[in-house]
Amino acid sequence: MQLSNSKTLLLAAAIVDAVNAHTTFTNFFVDQAPMGDGTCVRMSHDLLKATWPIRPINSQDMACGVNGNKGVARICPANSGSELTFNFRDWPDGSRPGSIDKSHMGPCAVYMKKVDNAAADDNAAGPGWFKIFEQDYDNSTAQWCTSKIMANDGKLSVKLPTDLAGGYYLVRPELLALHEADKNPADPQFYAGCAQVFLQSSGSSVPKDTVSIPGHVNMQQPAMTFHVWNTPKQLYFPQFGPPTYKSGSSKRAIDSRATELKQTLGLKPANCIMENDNWCGLTLPSSADEKSCWASAQKCWDQSTTCYDSAGPVGPKNCKNWESYCESVKNACASGNFNGPPSAKSFMPSPPARLSTSGSSFESAPSSGSEQTSYTQPKPETAPVTINSSGGDNSVEGGSTNTCGSNGGLKCASGYCCSSHGYCGKNNDYCGAGCQSAFGKCSGSSKHKRTHILGRPHAHILAGKA
């Protein structure tokens, strides 16, 4: 009974069609130990769009991605202070290298939300999210957070707070690609998913600074239209979302019985002998005669069907191993070897590799909005201003060299142009098409092409799609 051919071809075709230099969160590590591809991860069920950005930014998909309001069977354990390493891939099944195109520059963040059951449905979108990590542009390395992830083979590592109350959490890595944010209309591209985690902790803290997702961002925020292609770069990067939670900061205590919590939900079944995504191949019933042998073989094929049917964007790699095992069970029955089932040991896939080194380098240079920052982010270079008491024309004395016009109402300093997105500058990106003449000078020409944008790398083209 060959289940793999049609299903594998379908998955392969879908994954090829989906890949366009975007990205998706596929798997994670806890203290360098691999949890497995897709295991404990909420992912899109749409194989054709698994790596696409989330649109619109006020949709419920912003919480845990497309289909992210539906839980998966497994919940992975972690300890307070554990390092979680999130893996992002351009090809969700890992069949080819790559995490995200180098043009997709922008910040990243990690949020958490305490829930009653991390595997339950309909608990992602809504209030209760708090931020534990953020990073934007690092002057010390001249890299955006997404660029660091690309250089780190798609991996983003952060440490969990040490004082959080134990229990079930959704942990949400978020990437924001700003390569199209300068367009009209602006297109900030969010990539997010959720890991289902049980936190073993003796802490009792519950952060008070929480937000609703969707709702933590909106298109009126300057970050959503930030121009990453400016030369020189316009820094600092405007922060968005809640302040980053730090152990020992603003909190409230909960019932001390929380320290006694033990994981009871989302556990790996004791008789699970092979895994794919959140599917488990269970030990087959023993057999001693022909009837029970074929019954055991049928149980194997039934599980194989479920494995392929449940395989998401990370693919059915281990389903093929299970299918080969089922073939051996069938062959034993057909040859009269009814005492079984045969051992699955020779069909077991190779275990996923541990990370060789910690990825905690991301902790060394958090966002400029965090007190832990180890680099200096330039402040906006704005001349001293006095707003006209009449308030009629937003005129200023001295003028701004940072934001202007539709992005705060200020006029630029002498010699500066106010761009279509409300930033002061002196090249054609500011003074050309869309320049706001009421808030600075404009060249009146848009003939000069922005070669650093038009020539920038973008999606690789597959099956005739851009």
Side-chain angles (χ1 to χ4, degrees), residues 124-320:
W129 291 97
F130 57 96
K131 187 191 297 181
I132 64 166
F133 172 87
E134 64 178 351
Q135 187 177 120
D136 43 65
Y137 187 80
D138 183 352
N139 275 335
S140 66
T141 61
Q143 288 179 304
W144 286 95
C145 184
T146 54
S147 302
K148 288 187 176 184
I149 291 173
M150 297 171 212
N152 199 35
D153 195 28
K155 295 176 178 61
L156 167 65
S157 297
V158 302
K159 289 192 175 182
L160 298 176
T162 57
D163 62 349
L164 291 178
Y168 298 95
Y169 287 83
L170 300 178
V171 188
R172 174 186 179 272
E174 171 191 279
L175 309 186
L176 170 56
L178 294 166
H179 58 295
E180 302 290 347
D182 63 312
K183 287 195 169 184
N184 188 13
D187 183 22
Q189 296 183 6
F190 280 89
Y191 301 89
C194 286
Q196 299 181 171
V197 171
F198 177 81
L199 181 63
Q200 188 68 52
S201 173
S202 60
S204 60
S205 297
V206 177
K208 291 192 297 185
D209 291 322
T210 63
V211 294
S212 178
I213 302 179
H216 73 309
V217 297
N218 62 70
M219 289 304 297
Q220 283 67 54
Q221 294 170 321
M224 298 302 103
T225 55
F226 189 82
H227 198 329
V228 295
W229 301 103
N230 278 340
T231 303
K233 296 185 185 301
Q234 282 287 319
L235 295 174
Y236 73 132
F237 179 75
Q239 300 299 303
F240 62 94
T244 302
Y245 178 78
K246 293 174 58 179
S247 295
S249 63
S250 178
K251 63 187 180 182
R252 62 181 174 86
I254 61 172
D255 193 321
S256 61
R257 287 176 297 177
T259 61
E260 303 169 6
L261 284 177
K262 300 295 182 184
Q263 183 176 357
T264 59
L265 303 170
L267 295 165
K268 178 180 176 179
N271 58 342
C272 176
I273 59 175
M274 194 179 297
E275 299 173 78
N276 189 82
D277 204 327
N278 291 281
W279 170 88
C280 264
L282 306 179
T283 304
L284 299 178
S286 60
S287 61
D289 54 35
E290 183 174 9
K291 181 179 179 180
S292 59
C293 187
W294 286 110
S296 184
Q298 186 59 52
K299 288 281 188 182
C300 194
W301 290 119
D302 290 345
Q303 292 190 64
S304 184
T305 300
T306 302
C307 185
Y308 280 105
D309 288 346
S310 63
V314 295
K317 294 184 289 291
N318 295 350
C319 300
K320 299 175 186 177

